[in-house]
């Protein structure tokens, strides 16, 4: 393994295993002698707390987009510092989450302009990841994994997550992300992630 800073991002709808895989990837990289920092969005600081509150209060998705992006702006400065110190930074969600989730929420009001607005908004705020892995899953299966069983808004949520995943797949094509189906055996998914990451560490 080299020794330079590497920025790895996991994206995907809720229940695709991003946090489990981040932890397993961290352990593997540490065995190989790398210093690894796990991080996530929304962050744990006060901007992240504001984002979570906005999520609960059902604010206008434009307001949410600005909050998620503000949180990301500060987070990116911290990521930059870690990369300068040659850490491997594994980030659970990044700008793709805003483009996919808020893009799907804004589609009704803004049509195709939603995605381009969100990409433009995030452009000056983000750092280009070395690797982005998009984990995909059938939204119905992913919802079961996060325990969304008896919720009356289940079908609405499933349809929404289907749109979120479609937007993710469009981003993956345009930005050359790696797409991995996360429905299979966890160890196989991890091996596929390692094969992609190996070339950068
Ligand atoms: P999640 O990763 O589930 O964080 P936690 O489990 O720690 O609360 O993120 C919370 C929700 O926020 C999730 O449904 C995805 C959504 N989200 C967005 O809609 N836009 C974004 O930019 C981000 C980062 C997350």
């Amino acid at each position: 393994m080299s020794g330079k800073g590497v920025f790895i991002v996991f994206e995907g709808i809720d229940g695709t295993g991003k946090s489990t895989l981040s932890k397993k990837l961290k352990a593997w990289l540490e065995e190989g002698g790398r210093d690894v920092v796990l991080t996530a969005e929304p962050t744990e600081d006060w901007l992240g707390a504001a984002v979570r509150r906005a999520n609960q209060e059902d604010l206008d998705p434009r307001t949410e987009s600005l909050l998620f992006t503000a949180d990301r702006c500060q987070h990116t400065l911290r990521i930059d510092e870690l990369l300068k110190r040659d850490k491997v930074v594994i980030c659970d969600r990044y700008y793709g989450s805003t483009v996919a989730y808020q893009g799907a929420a804004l589609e009704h009001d803004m049509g195709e302009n939603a995605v381009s607005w969100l990409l433009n908004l995030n452009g000056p705020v983000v750092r280009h990841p070395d690797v982005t892995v998009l984990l995909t899953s059938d939204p119905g299966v992913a919802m079961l994994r996060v325990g969304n069983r008896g919720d009356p808004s289940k079908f609405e949520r499933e349809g929404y997550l289907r749109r979120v995943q479609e937007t993710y797949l469009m981003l993956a094509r345009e930005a050359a992300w790696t797409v991995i189906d996360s429905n299979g055996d966890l160890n196989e998914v991890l091996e596929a992630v390692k094969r992609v990451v190996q070339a950068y560490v």
Side-chain angles (χ1 to χ4, degrees):
M1 291 191 183
S2 77
K4 290 250 171 286
V6 184
F7 184 26
I8 301 166
V9 171
F10 281 99
E11 289 284 4
I13 58 173
D14 316 53
T16 45
K18 294 180 299 302
S19 62
T20 309
L21 284 162
S22 303
K23 284 182 204 135
K24 289 190 177 285
L25 183 65
K26 177 177 192 272
W28 176 69
L29 289 166
E30 284 174 342
E31 276 168 30
R34 295 299 315 253
D35 271 347
V36 184
V37 177
L38 273 190
T39 184
E41 292 188 3
T43 67
E44 292 299 323
D45 79 359
W46 71 268
L47 285 165
V51 166
R52 282 176 220 279
R53 181 162 165 194
N55 240 355
Q56 277 164 10
E57 292 190 5
D58 242 356
L59 292 191
D60 184 286
R62 278 163 291 215
T63 312
E64 269 190 352
S65 304
L66 295 167
L67 287 171
F68 275 118
T69 307
D71 185 35
R72 178 164 308 120
C73 188
Q74 290 304 120
H75 190 207
T76 300
L77 300 178
R78 295 198 293 278
I79 292 170
D80 281 340
E81 283 306 310
L82 292 167
L83 293 170
K84 264 192 221 145
R85 286 159 43 208
D86 295 334
K87 309 285 181 199
V88 178
V89 178
I90 303 177
C91 188
D92 180 347
R93 299 191 178 282
Y94 199 47
Y95 73 92
S97 288
T98 300
V99 180
Y101 280 79
Q102 279 62 57
L106 285 168
E107 201 174 35
H108 179 68
D109 285 351
M110 293 176 71
E112 286 180 2
N113 291 336
V115 165
S116 46
W117 176 60
L118 293 165
L119 281 171
N120 287 333
L121 182 70
N122 276 268
V125 162
V126 299
R127 177 189 179 104
H128 186 68
D130 296 296
V131 190
T132 300
V133 176
L134 171 61
L135 298 168
T136 59
S137 174
D138 176 74
V141 174
M143 280 176 65
L144 286 180
R145 285 204 197 142
V146 288
N148 228 328
R149 279 164 213 273
D151 187 339
S153 62
K154 180 178 175 294
F155 291 110
E156 201 185 314
R157 179 76 183 160
E158 188 173 329
Y160 171 63
L161 290 177
R162 209 168 284 287
R163 285 299 302 135
V164 171
Q165 186 159 271
E166 280 165 16
T167 308
Y168 264 140
L169 286 166
M170 187 266 292
L171 286 173
R173 276 193 300 277
E174 294 194 350
W177 296 351
T178 300
V179 181
I180 298 177
D181 174 9
S182 73
N183 282 310
D185 172 70
L186 180 65
N187 279 323
E188 281 172 25
V189 178
L190 178 63
E191 288 308 313
V193 171
K194 285 185 198 169
R195 280 195 292 277
V196 180
V197 167
Q198 195 136 38
Y200 296 87
V201 295

